[in-house]
Amino acid sequence: MGNSKDRIKFNVGGRIFETTSTTLANAGRDSFFGALFDDEWNLSPSPENLFIDRNPDCFAVLLDLLRTGDLNVPTNIPERLLHREASFYGLLNHVRTAKWGPFDGNRLRLSDSVKGIAPGDGTAIRAGPDGGCCVAHGSVVHVFDWMLDEHYPINLDYQRVNDVGWIDSDNIVLSACEKLGRGDGGMGLFSSSSGDLRYKFQVSHENQVKSYTAGALSFSPDYKIFSSCKGRSNEYGIGVWDQITGKQTDFFYESPGWSLGDADKLQWLNGKNCLLVATLFPRKDNCYISLLDFRDKNMVWSWSDIGSPMAIDEKRVRDAIAMEDSNSICVVNEFEDLGFIDLRMYGGSVRWSSRSRLMKSKMPDEPCYPKLALHEGQLFSSMNDSISVFCGPDWVLTSRLRRSYGGSICDFSIGGDRLFALHSEENVFDVWETPPPPII
């Protein structure tokens, strides 16, 4: 890079910086610096000193990040100021990547806690695609960007939010209870930054628009939204909508003797092109888990504990998650015992494992039932005030995340290289990140 044609000078806020095209190319095509290159990644003609009216101290940090991949921030530069400047140059993802490494449940460290957002127990927490999150409390959803700055809250005017999910970093879908006498409820698409309602998802039954309660949500890569639905007529089942148009495209009606409209959990399975629907205790006296194929409106697999001996309550299924690689469904009971159901057998039994039972003690007065998540080959299970991580073909307990305060974990979510855990007391949520690997 000794050739002067490969070098470029910047005048940033009165300070001169000189660098090379190789360093600037590390910023990527979509960055501020990407516009300085032609289609062949050659520097376009530019003034001798390109003037940028921005903060020179932050520019020095960001230029060093492009040179070395390391983020070294002097103590005199506020983090918020650096993030603002990184956003201007299109380098926010570079800063995020340098701040923490690839997600690994066994290396997670607590990075932050956000306290006391709203009174009452939290409903759900959902990680966003860019490292932010949203938290539902009753009828209000609080939205945070990856810097944990709160945006305008989404308020549904005393209608309880049942679930929430991210379409992308700019759009959030909320499902809510129907409010009798008002015809409200159902689902809506909201702006994550302003909280404005963009449109509502309607349910049509016999060519008539019906009011309904929307429950668990799931999304597929081909831009479909799935939600459990309960209406006043026959609108019990799973609705399907197009993410782009907002129009209803399908509805899988609940069959007699089964439960779909009350589902606690939905999960789209890419490999099987099916939707997992799980209705769990204590919402229902019995548990119902099924796989739905919408191509021919067929329930291709199902399991229920109806008729199973229930002498001990600990065998009640509290959460379920499909594991396509092993053709099984993992379930968990209130003592964090893991169980596995073989998807290759229709209506098979649960193979319970007690090796995770390390916390056999008195249950808290208001327990939060376990939740499950699967991320990049690692299995996560919440129990009281901690989250366990299981790895390997036999799902061995390898680590546990725990806070000293905040109460039981009522929900957790993984996304954007972070794990968010919502506690029941004071609605504290914790942010867990993987530190970057050591520099050798």
Side-chain angles (χ1 to χ4, degrees):
M1 302 306 298
N3 193 320
S4 61
K5 293 183 179 179
D6 293 321
R7 296 179 181 177
I8 185 170
K9 290 183 180 180
F10 294 98
N11 182 336
V12 183
R15 283 172 54 185
I16 304 300
F17 296 86
E18 185 172 1
T19 186
T20 66
S21 59
T22 302
T23 295
L24 295 181
N26 291 331
R29 178 64 71 187
D30 295 331
S31 69
F32 173 91
F33 304 106
L36 304 178
F37 294 87
D38 61 22
D39 292 340
E40 303 298 323
W41 284 98
N42 298 312
L43 278 172
S44 303
S46 60
E48 179 65 23
N49 287 330
L50 183 62
F51 180 74
I52 306 174
D53 191 16
R54 304 295 295 192
N55 186 289
D57 294 331
C58 292
F59 186 87
V61 173
L62 297 173
L63 186 59
D64 186 62
L65 172 63
L66 294 177
R67 286 172 176 148
T68 66
D70 298 329
L71 184 65
N72 300 298
V73 185
T75 56
N76 65 318
I77 297 180
E79 187 176 37
R80 190 179 302 275
L81 174 62
L82 180 67
H83 292 167
R84 186 191 68 189
E85 294 298 290
S87 178
F88 172 80
Y89 293 110
L91 298 177
L92 269 179
N93 284 336
H94 290 70
V95 172
R96 288 178 53 218
T97 302
K99 287 189 64 162
W100 61 82
F103 187 90
D104 181 353
N106 291 315
R107 297 183 58 242
L108 290 173
R109 299 291 182 270
L110 181 68
S111 67
D112 210 338
S113 293
V114 179
K115 305 175 183 177
I117 297 304
D121 292 339
T123 303
I125 189 166
R126 296 290 179 263
D130 60 353
C133 73
C134 57
V135 185
H137 300 99
S139 61
V140 179
V141 176
H142 298 269
V143 184
F144 300 84
D145 60 27
W146 79 277
M147 294 178 285
L148 301 182
D149 289 335
E150 186 177 0
H151 294 180
Y152 291 103
I154 302 170
N155 195 323
L156 296 192
D157 190 22
Y158 302 104
Q159 289 174 259
R160 178 176 173 81
V161 176
N162 292 320
D163 201 358
V164 57
W166 294 81
I167 295 290
D168 50 41
S169 58
D170 298 319
N171 297 283
I172 296 175
V173 173
L174 269 62
S175 65
C177 292
E178 176 189 10
K179 198 167 185 179
L180 295 178
R182 288 181 46 176
D184 292 332
M187 297 196 313
L189 180 74
F190 293 83
S191 165
S192 63
S193 57
S194 67
D196 293 336
L197 175 66
R198 291 182 166 163
Y199 53 79
K200 294 186 68 174
F201 300 91
Q202 296 180 330
V203 163
S204 294
H205 178 65
E206 296 179 347
N207 297 320
Q208 291 186 336
V209 175
K210 301 287 186 176
S211 61
Y212 67 103
T213 289
L217 295 170
S218 185
F219 307 88
S220 65
D222 58 347
Y223 306 105
K224 290 187 176 68
I225 304 174
F226 302 86
S227 176
S228 57
C229 300
K230 295 190 300 181
R232 300 185 202 176
S233 301
N234 191 33
E235 309 87 34
Y236 273 69
I238 305 297
V240 188
W241 292 264
D242 187 292
Q243 291 184 18
I244 307 300
T245 65
K247 304 299 184 184
Q248 180 185 342
T249 60
D250 210 341
F251 200 96
F252 197 114
Y253 287 94
E254 182 177 293
S255 58
W258 201 254
S259 179
L260 297 178
D262 280 310
D264 297 88
K265 189 167 193 174
L266 304 182
Q267 178 190 354
W268 178 255
L269 308 184
N270 260 342
K272 296 185 179 298
N273 204 19
C274 292
L275 183 73
L276 168 77
V277 182
T279 307
L280 307 165
F281 184 84
R283 186 182 298 274
K284 290 284 189 177
D285 291 336
N286 293 100
C287 303
Y288 305 83
I289 304 176
S290 51
L291 293 185
L292 306 184
D293 189 336
F294 283 83
R295 292 169 294 186
D296 55 5
K297 292 288 186 67
N298 187 26
M299 186 182 294
V300 296
W301 183 92
S302 65
W303 174 89
S304 176
D305 61 7
I306 296 177
S308 301
M310 287 294 173
I312 21 179
D313 185 55
E314 68 183 62
K315 297 306 181 187
R316 291 286 193 182
V317 172
R318 307 291 185 170
D319 199 8
I321 192 166
M323 310 168 80
E324 288 194 85
D325 290 344
S326 58
N327 273 311
S328 63
I329 290 179
C330 178
V331 296
V332 65
N333 65 17
E334 67 182 57
F335 293 106
E336 206 187 15
D337 292 325
L338 299 181
F340 298 89
I341 310 173
D342 195 333
L343 280 173
R344 294 165 296 186
M345 299 176 57
Y346 200 96
S349 60
V350 181
R351 176 173 56 87
W352 289 100
S353 169
S354 299
R355 60 179 175 270
S356 62
R357 192 181 298 174
L358 304 179
M359 302 174 63
K360 272 290 190 179
S361 58
K362 183 179 181 295
M363 296 289 288
D365 293 335
E366 296 185 4
C368 290
Y369 295 124
K371 299 290 180 70
L372 293 171
L374 188 66
H375 189 80
E376 296 182 355
Q378 294 179 321
L379 180 64
F380 298 78
S381 174
S382 63
M383 177 67 185
N384 294 339
D385 62 348
S386 66
I387 297 175
S388 300
V389 185
F390 302 87
C391 298
D394 296 324
W395 300 112
V396 176
L397 177 64
T398 54
S399 62
R400 178 161 280 155
L401 315 175
R402 177 182 280 120
R403 284 286 290 156
S404 59
Y405 63 91
S408 297
I409 294 172
C410 56
D411 197 17
F412 72 98
S413 181
I414 302 170
D417 286 330
R418 281 171 159 173
L419 184 150
F420 297 89
L422 178 63
H423 294 265
S424 59
E425 296 179 12
E426 301 299 328
N427 290 311
V428 175
F429 73 84
D430 297 326
V431 185
W432 297 79
E433 299 171 358
T434 304
I439 301 174
I440 301 177

